[in-house]
Amino acid sequence: MGLQVDTSGAVLTFGEMLLRICPDGDSNWLKENNLPVYVGGAELNVATALAKWDIESKYFTALPANGMSEQLIGYLNQRNIDTSAIYHGGSRLGLFFLTKGSDMKHDALIYDRAHSAFAELKPGMINWDEALAGVRWFHFSAICPALTQQTADLCEEALEAASRLGITISVDMNYRAKLWQYGKDPKEIMPRLVKYCDLIMGNVWASEKMLGIPVTPDVSESGQKSLYLKSALLSSEEIMKQYPKCKAVANTFRFDGGKDINYYCALYTDGHLYHSAEYQADTIVDKVGSGDCFMAGLIYGFCNQLAPSEVLDFATAAAFEKLFIWGDATTSTVHQIKEAIKYEN
C-alpha cells in the first residue's frame, strides 16, 4: 500500500521564516546603499508553492509582535497562506546572508539566527491540537532540528502530536553543516524524528549523513545515472526497512559542472523505483529554493492522488523551473510546470 492522503484539509509547514539578504559579490550594494531582501525559509517556500497551486496551505512559525511582522503576515495572507497558527512572541527575526549567485553550500552563506523568535520556542509553549486543527499533512525539514537541542525537542513534540492525530508527515533532509553546531551529530537527532514520517525526501548523501545509511562505494565519483539510481534504490529500501511508517522515499540528483546543471530525481514507493527524465541547462538564475519546490511538487502530487510517476514528473519539472526564477519561492503555475515536464525517450 502506497502513500494514502486525506482528500481534504490543509498542508501545514513548520519552520522558521527567514529574511535572505543578498549583497552582490562586487560590493556594489555598499556604493548604492541598496541591499536586496527576499522572504523565505525552506518550509515557507513549500507553503508558498502549494498555495500558488491551489492546495490549502497553512504555516507555523514564530514572529515577534511588531509592525514588521504584521507586514510579513500581510504578505503571506496575500499569497493565500493561512497564518492563524503563527506564534507571536520573541524579539527578532532570523536572517541569512547569501552573496548573489553563490550556492547554499559555499562560504558566502552566513546565518544570523541565534535568539530569534523561532529559536526561542520551547516544548510546552504551543497547543498543537489547536495549531493542527483542519490539517491533513505536516511538513518539516532537517534545518529546524539543526538549530538547537531545544528546537529539535520542539520538532519532536509537534511530530508526536501530528502522528497522534493521524496526519500525513513529510521531511526534507536538507543538510546544512553550518547549522549543526550545538554538539550533536545529525545521526543522534534525525532518526527519532524520521520515524514519524510517511514521506522522506533528500538525497543518498543526506541519508548517509543524517541516518547512517551508507552510499554504495562505487557511486561518489561515477557520474553514471544508472549507478546513482541504483544507489537511490538501495538507500530507499534500507530507509523503509528501518522506518516502517515510511511509504515513499524521494531522491534528487543535481550536478553543477561549472555553470552547467544536470538534474533528475527518483521516487521509491510500493516496491518500485521511478525516475524522471534528465534536465540540463547551461546557466541558471537562482539555486535557492529548488529543493523546496521539489518537495512542494511531491506534496501537490500526492494530495491530488496522482500516480507515482506523475507525482515525480511534476515535482522534478517544478524544481527545475525554479532554477530560473529569482527569489526563494516559485512563481510558476501548475499549467506552466506541466508544460515544462520532460519525458523519457
Side-chain angles (χ1 to χ4, degrees), residues 242-307:
Q242 293 188 25
Y243 303 96
K245 190 170 185 280
C246 179
K247 305 292 191 305
V249 179
N251 281 280
T252 62
F253 295 94
R254 190 181 82 193
F255 302 102
D256 306 2
K259 288 188 173 181
D260 296 338
I261 294 283
N262 187 31
Y263 187 78
Y264 54 90
C265 304
L267 176 65
Y268 181 78
T269 187
D270 273 336
H272 184 79
L273 185 76
Y274 301 86
H275 65 87
S276 73
E278 260 180 273
Y279 292 73
Q280 293 168 321
D282 295 331
T283 56
I284 64 168
V285 170
D286 196 339
K287 295 177 183 177
V288 176
S290 175
D292 306 326
C293 199
F294 179 74
M295 186 74 240
L298 294 175
I299 297 172
Y300 172 88
F302 281 115
C303 283
N304 281 292
Q305 300 182 317
L306 302 182

Side-chain angles (χ1 to χ4, degrees), residues 51-282:
K52 178 80 176 173
W53 303 334
D54 294 325
I55 296 287
E56 188 180 347
S57 184
K58 192 173 182 180
Y59 182 50
F60 176 87
T61 195
L63 296 175
N66 58 35
M68 187 174 179
S69 294
E70 288 175 16
Q71 291 180 349
L72 290 165
I73 286 170
Y75 175 86
L76 300 188
N77 289 336
Q78 287 171 9
R79 282 150 183 78
N80 295 319
I81 297 170
D82 180 349
T83 57
S84 62
I86 290 177
Y87 177 86
H88 298 277
S91 57
R92 57 159 302 199
L93 282 165
L95 310 174
F96 73 107
F97 298 81
L98 185 66
T99 301
K100 193 186 295 183
S102 295
D103 194 349
M104 295 285 281
K105 295 167 186 166
H106 290 172
D107 290 336
L109 173 64
I110 302 167
Y111 287 109
D112 180 17
R113 301 175 68 168
H115 308 296
S116 69
F118 187 84
E120 291 186 344
L121 285 177
K122 296 182 177 71
M125 290 175 66
I126 307 300
N127 180 336
W128 289 111
D129 285 2
E130 194 175 289
L132 296 170
V135 169
R136 60 170 159 167
W137 190 304
F138 179 97
H139 174 67
F140 75 108
S141 83
I143 292 175
C144 292
L147 295 176
T148 64
Q149 182 66 60
Q150 178 176 291
T151 312
D153 293 341
L154 175 78
C155 197
E156 187 171 15
E157 180 186 66
L159 290 167
E160 287 172 352
S163 183
R164 173 172 50 80
L165 294 168
I167 294 168
T168 300
I169 298 171
S170 60
V171 62
D172 179 350
M173 292 200 301
N174 31 17
Y175 177 65
R176 301 285 184 264
K178 290 188 175 184
L179 290 180
W180 288 94
Q181 299 296 323
Y182 60 95
K184 290 291 180 71
D185 187 278
K187 291 192 285 289
E188 298 177 75
I189 301 293
M190 289 307 298
R192 74 171 200 247
L193 305 180
V194 166
K195 72 181 183 183
Y196 293 101
C197 295
D198 301 277
L199 170 61
I200 297 170
M201 189 279 265
N203 60 51
V204 294
W205 299 279
S207 296
E208 182 174 60
K209 194 79 183 174
M210 297 190 172
L211 303 179
I213 293 171
V215 176
T216 46
D218 58 348
V219 146
S220 295
E221 303 298 330
S222 73
Q224 290 184 34
K225 184 177 179 181
S226 60
L227 290 179
Y228 286 120
L229 292 175
K230 180 185 174 186
S231 185
L233 173 62
L234 295 173
S235 176
S236 300
E237 288 175 335
E238 187 60 30
I239 286 173
M240 285 201 174
K241 182 179 170 185
Q242 293 188 25
Y243 303 96
K245 190 170 185 280
C246 179
K247 305 292 191 305
V249 179
N251 281 280
T252 62
F253 295 94
R254 190 181 82 193
F255 302 102
D256 306 2
K259 288 188 173 181
D260 296 338
I261 294 283
N262 187 31
Y263 187 78
Y264 54 90
C265 304
L267 176 65
Y268 181 78
T269 187
D270 273 336
H272 184 79
L273 185 76
Y274 301 86
H275 65 87
S276 73
E278 260 180 273
Y279 292 73
Q280 293 168 321
D282 295 331

